[in-house]
Each structure stands twice: as structure tokens, then as C-alpha cells.
Amino acid sequence: MEPGHWPSEHSDALCDYFLKGVSYAEIGREINARFGTAYTRSAVVGRAKRLGLIPPARMASPSIVPSLPGDVCPPSPRRLALPYLNVPPQSAMKPVARVKLRCVGVQPRLIPLDQLDREDCRYPYGGEKDGEEITFCGHPCQPGSSYCTPHAGLTRRSGAASARVASPVVLRLISAA
């Protein structure tokens, strides 16, 4: 027997046992003993739901669960006990305002990376849209920084001096062979 395939006689037996009030686990055991199958309790529950069988009233009290039009079966008792289950937090449901980037009163030179000199500011511009070229400020850097004075102020916390000591960076090109 292939998984997920229920012959009609198995489905009929499930309906009969279900209408007698037998539990899903017991229905699975009875069908397995009768037909030589290996259905699990979960398989029986899934098949019962697909057949549109409604669980007995003891599973969900009408006073607790309001019936909605078009509802085939009421929610499980566990879902009733934990209504917050699988619900995103309120903060995730609100649209987030787009962050406005800080800017400084500097007109960038917009130099491509391959044309930057050692003393040029490396504050990036562009690249937000697909295919948009990334260029750099290009104004003279302040001593010990990769940025000009206005951009260095944007990249550091106010009042905190950098603990890093600036030193020359040596890059080594390796050929892909």
C-alpha cells in the first residue's frame, strides 16, 4: 500500500468507528488489525479531516469556540488554550518607516573605486538599486581615518575617540590560476 492512499473500505471503516465515538488512536489500531495496514494516529486524523468528519462535542465546547460559517471543524483544544500560538507579534504587523539616512554638507566627488587615491575619502554613495554603480566621496581624508572630516563624524559615535590606530594597509593581489 502506498502512503496517503486510503482504499474505500478503509475509509468506510474509519467512518463507522468514528461515528461510534472511538478515539483516533483506537481507530488506527482497529483498521490496522482488520486490514493488515500500518496507519498511525496522525494518518487517521488527517483522513478524518479530509473526509469532513467533525470531532465529537467533548473536544470543543460551543461555549468556548464560536462556530464560524463555513468552518468544517473547530480549532483543537490546544489552540484554544494557547491563542497566541503562531501569531506574529504586534510589532511585526505594523509597517516600518523607512530609515532616512544622515547626510553632511559635503558635495561628494563621486569617484569610482579604481580611481581613488590613498588620501581620498572612502565614504560610499549609490548601490541601492540593482546595477547602480557605487562611487566614493573622494575629498581628502582626515589624519588616521579613511574618511573626510564630515564623513568621519557620521561613522563614529559622538564624543568617542577611535581606539584603532591607523596604519597603512598592504593588499596583495593573487592571480587565480
Side-chain angles (χ1 to χ4, degrees):
M1 170 190 348
E2 60 187 71
H5 176 70
W6 282 68
S8 60
E9 59 267 8
H10 298 188
S11 296
D12 293 340
L14 184 146
C15 290
D16 292 339
Y17 288 124
F18 184 83
L19 294 174
K20 292 178 185 174
V22 180
S23 71
Y24 291 123
E26 187 59 35
I27 292 173
R29 284 191 289 271
E30 292 290 331
I31 292 176
N32 290 337
R34 185 169 159 189
F35 297 106
T37 57
Y39 293 126
T40 62
R41 178 191 171 277
S42 295
V44 173
V45 170
R47 183 63 180 168
K49 284 186 177 184
R50 286 189 299 278
L51 290 172
L53 300 175
I54 299 171
R58 70 177 187 273
M59 294 294 279
S61 170
S63 63
I64 297 174
V65 181
S67 60
L68 299 174
D71 241 353
V72 175
C73 58
S76 70
R78 181 172 180 200
R79 185 166 295 271
L80 294 174
L82 303 170
Y84 53 85
L85 199 62
N86 293 330
V87 176
Q90 287 294 330
S91 61
M93 294 183 186
K94 296 176 185 173
V96 178
R98 189 162 188 166
V99 177
K100 183 166 175 41
L101 299 176
R102 299 176 293 169
C103 59
V104 293
V106 170
Q107 182 64 37
R109 293 175 46 208
L110 303 176
I111 299 175
L113 179 64
D114 59 349
Q115 296 176 7
L116 277 177
D117 286 332
R118 177 180 281 204
E119 304 83 28
D120 290 340
C121 176
R122 283 160 169 62
Y123 193 85
Y125 284 89
E128 289 92 20
K129 299 176 187 136
D130 285 340
E132 183 180 12
E133 183 181 14
I134 298 175
T135 55
F136 299 87
C137 171
H139 287 289
C141 292
Q142 74 177 26
S145 175
S146 298
Y147 304 113
C148 61
T149 304
H151 285 130
L154 285 180
T155 59
R156 304 239 193 300
R157 293 183 189 160
S158 59
S162 175
R164 250 177 32 174
V165 176
S167 61
V169 176
V170 177
L171 297 177
R172 193 169 33 142
L173 296 178
I174 300 174
S175 65

